[in-house]
């Protein structure tokens, strides 16, 4: 059974990492300031953003299907949500909070030198707040496994 739990845990970590990366690409490619870096062609960043969204959505479906794994024995499902996993979720949540604060500080500092619109700043902070905990949870699960 521990092999099955490890296999499902590894799959969850990989899915979370891919979801976080796809989410960041999806959100940042949609920002005007990043399309300016790409040479001003909104079609390129639009296609990248759309592809990243589709990939993120596919990973979300995979993650949701894994959550209700019916083929796994109840012991394996319980092991995927034990006290250590719950503790890692709380640590990842705290990490996300600090990632958002650091991102807000970086955006604020950068706004002193560059013009950053409020909605762009808020989106950058929120993207960091979504991706940070996902990556932190994947790291913690890999380290503690």
């Amino acid at each position: 059974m521990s092999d099955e739990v490890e296999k499902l845990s590894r799959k969850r970590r990989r899915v979370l990492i891919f979801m976080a990366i796809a989410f960041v690409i999806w959100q940042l490619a949609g920002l005007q300031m990043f399309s300016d870096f790409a040479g001003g062609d909104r079609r390129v960043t639009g296609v990248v953003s759309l592809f990243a969204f589709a990939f993120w959505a596919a990973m979300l479906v995979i993650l949701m299907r894994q959550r209700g794994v019916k083929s796994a024995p109840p012991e394996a499902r319980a092991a995927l949500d034990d006290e250590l996993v719950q503790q890692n979720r709380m640590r990842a949540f705290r990490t996300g909070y600090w990632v958002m604060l650091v991102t807000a500080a970086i955006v604020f500092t950068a706004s002193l030198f560059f013009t950053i619109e409020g909605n762009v700043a808020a989106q950058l902070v929120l993207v960091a707040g979504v991706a940070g905990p996902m990556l932190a949870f994947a790291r913690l699960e890999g380290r503690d496994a």
Side-chain angles (χ1 to χ4, degrees):
M1 181 186 74
S2 72
D3 290 338
E4 187 171 357
V5 171
E6 182 58 33
K7 177 183 163 191
L8 291 171
S9 179
R10 250 190 333 256
K11 182 179 178 184
R12 177 171 58 189
R13 286 192 309 265
R14 281 194 307 267
V15 167
L16 283 172
I17 290 169
F18 288 139
M19 279 184 71
I21 292 169
F23 184 79
V24 168
I25 292 171
W26 165 36
Q27 292 296 310
L28 295 185
L31 292 176
Q32 177 67 38
M33 63 187 271
F34 289 102
S35 63
D36 293 342
F37 293 137
D41 189 6
R42 291 285 296 163
R43 290 177 296 178
V44 173
T45 56
V47 169
V48 169
S49 179
L50 186 62
F51 178 73
F53 168 72
F55 187 78
W56 175 81
M59 291 291 108
L60 183 61
V61 168
I62 289 170
L63 187 67
M64 290 294 111
R65 286 189 70 213
Q66 180 185 352
R67 179 136 176 104
V69 177
K70 300 293 183 202
S71 62
E75 298 85 23
R77 285 185 293 186
L80 290 172
D81 196 28
D82 63 357
E83 294 86 9
L84 179 61
V85 172
Q86 292 174 5
Q87 182 181 20
N88 286 340
R89 281 190 191 126
M90 290 309 299
R91 286 182 185 165
F93 186 77
R94 275 186 300 220
T95 301
Y97 173 76
W98 287 106
V99 166
M100 284 181 72
L101 285 179
V102 169
T103 303
I106 290 170
V107 169
F108 176 74
T109 303
S111 72
L112 298 174
F113 303 102
F114 308 103
T115 302
I116 299 177
E117 297 176 15
N119 61 337
V120 172
Q123 188 171 359
L124 291 172
V125 171
L126 287 174
V127 167
V130 169
M134 292 165 77
L135 294 172
F137 183 75
R139 182 184 58 83
L140 288 167
E141 285 289 292
R143 185 188 71 195
D144 292 338

